[in-house]
């Protein structure tokens, strides 16, 4: 069975690691990014089923346009 794929975008490292750990425990395939630009770079080669994205982050905020995916 294929795992559901989630991209987590969160700049706070402790929160990001905690959420990733929980989702992996629940058997999701997780990739994380610490800002919007990093998330867009990941989307060049990995397409998730769901994106969980913080809004206020450095470099590029969470109000980025994922509509092309």
């Amino acid at each position: 069975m294929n795992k559901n794929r989630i991209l987590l975008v969160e700049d706070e490292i402790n929160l990001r690691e905690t959420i990733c750990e929980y989702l992996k425990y629940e058997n999701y395939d997780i990739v994380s990014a610490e800002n919007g630009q990093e998330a867009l770079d990941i989307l060049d080669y990995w397409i998730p089923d769901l994106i969980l994205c913080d809004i206020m982050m450095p470099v590029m905020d969470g109000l980025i346009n994922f509509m092309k995916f």
Side-chain angles (χ1 to χ4, degrees):
M1 182 168 82
N2 291 336
K3 292 183 180 182
N4 290 323
R5 300 168 75 161
I6 298 175
L7 172 59
L8 173 64
V9 189
E10 170 59 57
D11 63 318
E12 185 65 40
I13 189 166
N14 291 332
L15 183 56
R16 186 173 65 243
E17 288 177 352
T18 300
I19 293 170
C20 281
E21 185 176 311
Y22 177 76
L23 292 172
K24 286 178 184 177
Y25 176 79
E26 292 295 326
N27 207 30
Y28 290 96
D29 186 11
I30 305 298
V31 172
S32 65
E34 63 182 79
N35 60 59
Q37 183 58 57
E38 188 176 321
L40 288 176
D41 293 343
I42 290 168
L43 290 171
D44 285 339
Y45 63 88
W46 194 80
I47 304 300
D49 298 308
L50 176 70
I51 299 172
L52 296 176
C53 188
D54 188 6
I55 298 296
M56 296 176 57
M57 295 179 290
V59 182
M60 180 184 285
D61 64 29
L63 298 175
I64 56 182
N65 183 359
F66 290 116
M67 297 304 291
K68 67 179 183 176
F69 302 99

